[in-house]
């Protein structure tokens, strides 16, 4: 009896530890993707232009969404899910530009309403990154990992 109980407790502890490790890995990958996207949006704001060649549609979300849904608390989940809804909208907007063949510089300039929306989107992405902070802390230095994106060349 004692052996069965101790085996059960050990298995439970191992399963819990594995679930935490999976959640931490998922949060780190999502964190990188959100930070990269936020940097691209900020670059567009800085350049006052839809510079769509730098855009990459998010890939980590579809793979890790269920893991985070189990691991994140309500407000954190809402922030991350909302950020990805905004990224989906941005992706569809850039797809429209690409499909329309927008190469004319004036057509790529941000309009005031687009600029305001992109600023709000960048803020939403920052909130989502902050919501993931408990999973993405660098334990050695007890600070979030740093990611900065700039175009190459």
């Amino acid at each position: 009896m004692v052996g069965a109980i101790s085996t059960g407790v050990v298995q439970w502890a191992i399963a819990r530890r594995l679930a935490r490790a999976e959640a931490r890995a998922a949060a780190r990958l999502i964190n990188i993707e959100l930070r990269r996207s936020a940097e691209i949006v900020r670059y567009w704001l800085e350049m006052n232009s839809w510079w769509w060649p730098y855009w990459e549609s998010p890939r980590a979300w579809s793979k890790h969404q269920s893991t985070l849904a189990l691991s994140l608390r309500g407000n954190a989940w809402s922030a991350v899910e909302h950020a990805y809804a905004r990224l989906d909208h941005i992706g569809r907007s850039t797809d429209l530009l690409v499909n329309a063949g927008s190469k004319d510089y004036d057509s790529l300039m941000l309009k005031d309403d687009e600029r305001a929306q992109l600023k709000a989107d960048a803020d939403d992405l920052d909130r989502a990154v902050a919501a993931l902070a408990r999973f993405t802390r660098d334990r050695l230095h007890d600070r979030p990992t740093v990611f900065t994106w700039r175009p190459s060349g």
Side-chain angles (χ1 to χ4, degrees):
M1 175 91 163
V2 172
I5 292 173
S6 63
T7 300
V9 169
V10 168
Q11 288 177 342
W12 172 82
I14 290 171
R16 186 169 184 221
R17 188 173 193 171
L18 179 62
R20 284 183 182 168
E22 287 175 359
R24 191 170 44 252
R28 286 176 178 166
L29 293 169
I30 294 296
N31 185 2
I32 289 169
E33 193 167 76
L34 289 171
R35 285 175 179 247
R36 181 184 181 283
S37 298
E39 288 296 323
I40 291 171
V41 169
R42 282 193 190 85
Y43 180 73
W44 289 347
L45 289 168
E46 186 180 313
M47 300 306 293
N48 197 37
S49 172
W50 286 102
W51 194 238
W52 51 262
Y54 292 121
W55 183 254
E56 276 187 34
S57 294
R59 292 186 212 124
W61 181 240
S62 61
K63 295 175 189 169
H64 302 289
Q65 160 177 16
S66 59
T67 302
L68 290 180
L70 292 169
S71 305
L72 294 177
R73 295 185 177 111
N75 289 342
W77 170 254
S78 294
V80 173
E81 193 275 331
H82 180 73
Y84 272 94
R86 296 308 311 151
L87 289 179
D88 182 55
H89 177 75
I90 291 169
R92 281 186 274 121
S93 298
T94 56
D95 287 347
L96 287 174
L97 288 170
V98 172
N99 293 335
S102 295
K103 291 186 172 58
D104 175 34
Y105 184 72
D106 289 336
S107 70
L108 296 175
M109 295 297 292
L110 293 175
K111 297 170 188 65
D112 289 340
D113 59 328
E114 292 171 332
R115 200 171 166 66
Q117 184 58 60
L118 284 175
K119 173 67 173 107
D121 292 344
D123 293 342
D124 288 341
L125 294 171
D126 288 341
R127 276 189 282 282
V129 167
L132 293 170
R134 80 180 178 109
F135 289 105
T136 58
R137 291 274 178 197
D138 178 349
R139 291 178 191 224
L140 180 62
H141 302 292
D142 195 30
R143 61 189 167 93
T145 54
V146 176
F147 182 83
T148 304
W149 178 90
R150 284 288 179 233
S152 59

